[in-house]
Amino acid sequence: MSKILLVEDDKYSADGIIDLFTSEGYEVDHALNGKSAFELLKDNQYNLIITDIMMPELDGIKFLHRIRSIGIDTPVIVITAYDTTENIMAVYDLGAVEILEKPFDIDDFLKLVQDLLKGEWKE
């Protein structure tokens, strides 16, 4: 079973994403910010990380920078309502596979995740 780490501070968004992926048979751990997500990564292996950008304590870009700097190369999808050019460039420079602007099409999101977890995602 594939294991996903969701880093999202908005409860409504997080609940919907968790429900979507658990109903598809994935195991989902949830962190409210990059700091708590980083703690989860110390004790868990994930097949995919989905992170928001704007979060308290440690935002998504700093979180992505931190995990990459210690050699964690797990695929990352960034979801955000703030897809500025600066944010887009930063997350792609840090190796994110995709950035999705909220609100996004849930079927496209699910397909992207399924393809990534099967190793069939193409840039």
Side-chain angles (χ1 to χ4, degrees):
M1 172 189 319
S2 293
K3 193 168 179 180
I4 299 170
L5 173 58
L6 172 64
V7 190
E8 170 62 78
D9 64 325
D10 179 75
K11 182 178 175 10
Y12 177 78
S13 295
D15 288 348
I17 292 169
I18 292 166
D19 289 348
L20 172 68
F21 291 117
T22 56
S23 72
E24 292 292 322
Y26 300 113
E27 184 178 340
V28 182
D29 285 348
H30 175 229
L32 293 172
N33 58 56
K35 185 177 179 183
S36 55
F38 194 73
E39 292 301 313
L40 285 171
L41 283 166
K42 290 179 180 178
D43 299 318
N44 297 280
Q45 295 282 339
Y46 296 96
N47 304 96
L48 177 64
I49 298 169
I50 301 168
T51 185
D52 191 8
I53 289 180
M54 301 300 288
M55 298 177 291
E57 294 192 52
L58 185 67
D59 70 34
I61 293 172
K62 291 176 184 166
F63 167 69
L64 187 52
H65 183 268
R66 185 177 286 181
I67 67 171
R68 294 303 191 228
S69 70
I70 62 166
I72 296 174
D73 62 354
T74 304
V76 175
I77 296 172
V78 174
I79 55 176
T80 185
Y82 304 97
D83 68 340
T84 65
T85 301
E86 180 180 318
N87 285 346
I88 291 169
M89 290 174 59
V91 298
Y92 283 131
D93 285 347
L94 291 166
V97 295
E98 189 64 83
I99 184 168
L100 300 176
E101 183 180 3
K102 296 176 185 178
F104 44 80
D105 183 271
I106 203 72
D107 293 327
D108 292 343
F109 183 43
L110 178 59
K111 172 105 172 74
L112 172 64
V113 168
Q114 290 170 332
D115 289 350
L116 274 166
L117 293 173
K118 290 182 206 169
E120 297 175 359
W121 182 79
K122 302 288 186 262
E123 289 187 58

